[in-house]
Amino acid sequence: MKIILFLLLICAFVSGCVSNGAIYTDYGKFSCQREKPIVQSLFWPSVINFDFDSSNINELEKRKLMQAISVLNKYSTLNVAIVGATDPEGSIEYNDALSLRRASAVSEYLRGQGIARSRLVLIGTGENELFIDTNDQQKNRANRRTQLILLDAKNNPVDIYFNKLALPSEPLILDKVNSL
């Protein structure tokens, strides 16, 4: 179920909307007709990294999370999906649990800073969502992470604009960056 939710979020994120004839036949339109919230921010930490076999958040990553808290406090109607992942070392069962512990650690940190539990969606993908497929322990750091995906009130991904001059009314938006 968690993987399906994650894949749905990715589909909506990549395409912008999902066709009615696809998965959502019984549910009507999925985000195609909605007005997208616009978030202007100098920084959104889309990835929080972890050490090997750990769900502890180090000080550098906590500073990144403080930036996320700043955005979440400014836009109080927005939510965040916290997607935990691991490298391929260890058993599938162990990695599934570790990825969820990583997502939970980020969630607990955000909650400790005043972000309501109801605004957080936790997903653990284990080793199923490798950023890079490698046996190199140093390069595998990219797989030991949580991804933070900023969501609107209906849990659809939100567009983030890092350049205040690059607004959606412009015909060509070069600085548009999505939260994933």
Side-chain angles (χ1 to χ4, degrees):
M1 182 63 182
K2 293 175 187 175
I3 292 176
I4 292 171
L5 176 61
F6 179 74
L7 292 175
L8 294 175
L9 286 171
I10 295 300
C11 287
F13 170 80
V14 171
S15 68
C17 83
V18 176
S19 74
N20 292 341
I23 300 170
Y24 300 98
T25 304
D26 296 333
Y27 302 103
K29 293 183 178 180
F30 181 73
S31 78
C32 294
Q33 300 297 321
R34 69 180 171 88
E35 186 174 318
K36 292 183 179 180
I38 298 167
V39 175
Q40 292 183 16
S41 177
L42 295 177
F43 181 73
W44 175 256
S46 59
V47 175
I48 303 298
N49 293 106
F50 291 86
D51 291 329
F52 178 75
D53 195 26
S54 174
S55 59
N56 295 324
I57 304 170
N58 68 34
E59 290 305 314
L60 175 63
E61 303 305 311
K62 285 180 181 177
R63 285 195 296 268
K64 289 166 54 177
L65 284 172
M66 291 307 293
Q67 293 293 323
I69 290 162
S70 171
V71 171
L72 291 169
N73 284 333
K74 182 176 180 181
Y75 299 94
S76 61
T77 61
L78 298 180
N79 302 319
V80 63
I82 305 167
V83 184
T86 68
D87 63 26
E89 296 293 320
S91 71
I92 291 172
E93 295 80 15
Y94 182 82
N95 286 338
D96 287 346
L98 179 58
S99 68
L100 196 52
R101 283 196 309 272
R102 287 175 174 166
S104 295
V106 170
S107 170
E108 290 300 317
Y109 187 81
L110 294 175
R111 289 180 55 224
Q113 300 298 317
I115 304 301
R117 170 181 259 159
S118 62
R119 297 178 65 193
L120 308 174
V121 178
L122 276 65
I123 302 169
T125 64
E127 61 188 70
N128 295 316
E129 302 294 329
L130 296 176
F131 183 73
I132 184 171
D133 191 6
T134 181
N135 290 327
D136 184 303
Q137 281 296 323
Q138 185 65 25
K139 291 179 182 177
N140 250 328
R141 178 164 170 75
N143 294 320
R144 298 188 292 267
R145 70 193 189 285
T146 59
Q147 291 177 260
L148 302 179
I149 304 170
L150 198 56
L151 307 171
D152 67 15
K154 295 181 181 179
N155 290 332
N156 293 308
V158 172
D159 291 331
I160 299 176
Y161 295 86
F162 293 102
N163 180 343
K164 291 183 180 183
L165 299 176
L167 297 174
S169 60
E170 294 179 356
L172 180 60
I173 303 171
L174 298 177
D175 293 337
K176 178 182 170 191
V177 179
N178 214 303
S179 60
L180 181 61

